[in-house]
Amino acid sequence: MKKKDKLETVEADAVVMKESMEKEHLSRQERQAQYKLLMDTALLAGQIMLKSGAETYRVEDTICRILQTSGLETAETFATVTGLFVTLADPSIDAITQIARVSEKQSNLSQVYDVNDISRSLCGGKITVQEAYDRLLVIKKKQEYPLHMVYIGIVMTSSFFTLLLGGGVLASCLSALNGLCIVLCRHITGKVKLNNFITDMLSSFIIAVGTMFYAHMIHNSAIVEITIVGSIMPLVPGVAITNAIRDTLQGDYLSGGSRAIEAFVIAACIAVGIGVGLAFSTVVIGGSML
Amino acid sequence: MILQVIGAFLGVVGMSIVIGVPKKLIIYSGFVGAFGWWVYLMMEVQYPKLIILQAFTATMVVSLISHICARLLKAPGTIFLIPGIMPMVPGAGMYRTAYYAFKGNSTVASYHLSQTVQIAGAIALAIFIMDSIFRIIQLKKQWNR
């Protein structure tokens, strides 16, 4: 019911926008400029959502809703994981088509939430297109959490996931140390701008070596497994896994497939890092593997 | 078990910070994760050794709560779903696969690999089913108008 309500409001609003322009007797150029702004707004919204890890169907849905406020005949969009195409056309204007490439990726669900909010109020007629565009520009730069909070989050994830899996307090403390290692690794590779896959591999390598070292120091090899399993949790590609599932369900096989590959490659990187780390520490510390 | 559920809450909150869940919704996603993990542990008590069933049921519950939260709080459902299913992700299976593969024991490694894939499949299936149910509800509401 909700969805239909929203669609109806969009249509009611759309008629207003197109008709209001006709009433005001705007010249073709002025109308074109208005539609261009709407187009830029839609494109920016889509770009922000794709970059921060929204599902493809949500991106397409949002762009279409924003474009439909114009009331023009054709409002089409096609989004993939790495870029999007948007077209707005009508007999009364020159068709506008734009392409945007999304190369950097940084999961940031608060931006998805904010853009969703703005598109709702734009389609509900609560804000103008210019206001929406300005707010989107602000959101694009906004970080929900400062960097040190993210680092604390990583340490929390490592240590408390070990507790969650039944590792006990000792293993949880060791995982917190591992979490610190991940943070350090991220900080350094972020400075050098290394590939994400390499960062994950390096982090899991350090986790494996570190855990073997602690276990050797306290003469307790039973905690190795649970500590490593808990510590790698911040590296696990949760966003990619979930979006792969939901995109595939929506019939976006292109996006679903590429996200599934992303998740699989990251998992493989973690596995390789751990394997090499275990083998390496066995050689260094000596003795058989565990 | 209480310790584990508390761990789940704090762990999921930490995860939520990493993926940037909005500040005012972070408590909800923590609760979704903790409740999901509590279901998982209860299933473990009831039906031990059925890991796939546990993951399936827990994900169904998490997915259900995420959809409800999304409608109540007017936020995208992903915000609750992604942190919520993190505890169920088969990290242990991944570790054991890598461990036995590097130890040279390929039989045990492939056993763990297939189990990991099965758990991942169970999670995917649970999300599929819950999404479809909610889509049917939505369509039915539109039909009734």
Side-chain angles (χ1 to χ4, degrees):
Chain A
M1 207 193 293
K2 205 159 60 195
K3 200 163 187 179
K4 199 164 183 188
D5 275 345
K6 224 190 296 171
L7 276 176
E8 274 168 5
T9 53
V10 166
E11 277 159 20
D13 217 53
V15 177
V16 171
M17 183 169 173
K18 200 181 173 185
E19 275 181 356
S20 72
M21 279 191 203
E22 275 164 14
K23 270 182 207 152
E24 288 168 26
H25 299 293
L26 290 177
S27 73
R28 195 185 172 94
Q29 265 181 342
E30 279 165 329
R31 266 186 290 158
Q32 188 81 25
Q34 293 257 356
Y35 288 130
K36 181 75 174 50
L37 181 66
L38 185 73
M39 184 75 177
D40 286 344
T41 311
L43 197 72
L44 187 62
Q47 249 178 320
I48 294 174
M49 287 185 107
L50 263 190
K51 184 185 69 114
S52 41
E55 307 98 306
T56 311
Y57 76 86
R58 193 185 297 283
V59 176
E60 288 181 351
D61 188 54
T62 307
I63 293 179
C64 273
R65 274 167 198 277
I66 293 177
L67 290 183
Q68 274 163 7
T69 60
S70 68
L72 296 186
E73 225 176 62
T74 314
E76 289 276 349
T77 177
F78 170 66
T80 68
V81 181
T82 48
L84 48 95
F85 309 80
V86 188
T87 280
L88 189 63
D90 198 66
S92 65
I93 62 160
D94 301 332
I96 312 172
T97 300
Q98 289 193 356
I99 300 177
R101 176 79 165 89
V102 178
S103 45
E104 58 166 333
K105 297 210 98 177
Q106 181 65 51
S107 301
N108 191 345
L109 294 182
S110 72
Q111 287 187 348
V112 178
Y113 176 72
D114 289 339
V115 173
N116 197 45
D117 221 33
I118 289 178
S119 92
R120 263 172 205 246
S121 22
L122 179 64
C123 296
K126 285 180 199 138
I127 55 173
T128 64
V129 180
Q130 185 64 49
E131 275 169 7
Y133 188 72
D134 293 341
R135 277 174 67 183
L136 283 173
L137 281 180
V138 173
I139 284 174
K140 197 181 178 186
K141 298 228 171 66
K142 190 181 121 192
Q143 281 291 334
E144 182 76 6
Y145 299 100
L147 201 58
H148 65 266
M149 274 301 284
V150 175
Y151 289 161
I152 292 172
I154 291 176
V155 176
M156 268 175 80
T157 311
S158 281
S159 77
F160 289 119
F161 264 89
T162 312
L163 203 61
L164 169 165
L165 296 166
V169 178
L170 175 66
S172 172
C173 293
L174 294 181
S175 297
L177 283 178
N178 282 335
L180 279 178
C181 293
I182 299 178
V183 168
L184 211 65
C185 197
R186 277 221 180 162
H187 195 72
I188 294 168
T189 51
K191 287 244 159 79
V192 196
K193 293 221 163 72
L194 265 180
N195 189 319
N196 277 350
F197 299 127
I198 304 284
T199 312
D200 286 345
M201 212 186 278
L202 205 63
S203 305
S204 48
F205 173 78
I206 293 172
I207 287 173
V209 174
T211 310
M212 287 295 273
F213 178 71
Y214 310 139
H216 184 71
M217 292 297 284
I218 60 174
H219 301 291
N220 183 357
S221 60
I223 59 159
V224 170
E225 179 177 308
I226 198 82
T227 309
I228 292 183
V229 171
S231 302
I232 57 171
M233 286 313 283
L235 308 174
V236 170
V239 179
I241 295 172
T242 318
N243 283 346
I245 296 168
R246 300 191 107 181
D247 276 346
T248 312
L249 172 67
Q250 291 287 334
D252 289 328
Y253 298 116
L254 196 61
S255 312
S258 41
R259 287 201 215 254
I261 292 173
E262 185 189 344
F264 186 77
V265 171
I266 295 175
C269 280
I270 297 172
V272 168
I274 287 173
V276 174
L278 286 176
F280 175 79
S281 48
T282 313
V283 173
V284 173
I285 297 171
S288 65
M289 197 155 147
L290 289 189
Chain B
M1 190 160 105
I2 293 169
L3 196 68
Q4 275 175 277
V5 174
I6 293 171
F9 179 78
L10 291 170
V12 171
V13 166
M15 195 73 211
S16 308
I17 295 175
V18 176
I19 57 175
V21 172
K23 284 191 195 88
K24 55 182 170 182
L25 299 177
I26 208 163
I27 296 291
Y28 296 102
S29 59
F31 272 120
V32 172
F35 190 71
W37 190 244
W38 179 73
V39 170
Y40 186 94
L41 292 176
M42 290 308 282
M43 287 299 287
E44 192 168 13
V45 175
Q46 288 286 319
Y47 308 98
K49 309 240 165 177
L50 288 174
I51 302 176
I52 295 166
L53 181 70
Q54 289 168 27
F56 180 77
T57 322
T59 313
M60 283 286 264
V61 171
V62 165
S63 187
L64 174 69
I65 307 174
S66 308
H67 274 288
I68 293 171
C69 278
R71 270 154 189 73
L72 288 182
L73 301 166
K74 290 208 164 47
T78 344
I79 286 182
F80 311 102
L81 187 64
I82 293 176
I85 64 160
M86 284 309 286
M88 267 69 84
V89 170
M94 267 165 55
Y95 167 78
R96 291 197 190 111
T97 308
Y99 172 65
Y100 286 108
F102 272 81
K103 218 176 168 187
N105 195 340
S106 58
T107 326
V108 184
S110 57
Y111 165 73
H112 282 297
L113 179 65
S114 78
Q115 197 168 42
T116 308
V117 172
Q118 280 172 28
I119 294 174
I123 294 174
L125 189 66
I127 296 178
F128 268 164
I129 291 175
M130 212 31 101
D131 276 0
S132 313
I133 290 175
F134 269 84
R135 190 166 309 165
I136 292 169
I137 293 173
Q138 211 166 37
L139 283 179
K140 212 178 152 205
K141 277 180 177 170
Q142 285 185 9
W143 254 82
N144 287 344
R145 275 170 67 100

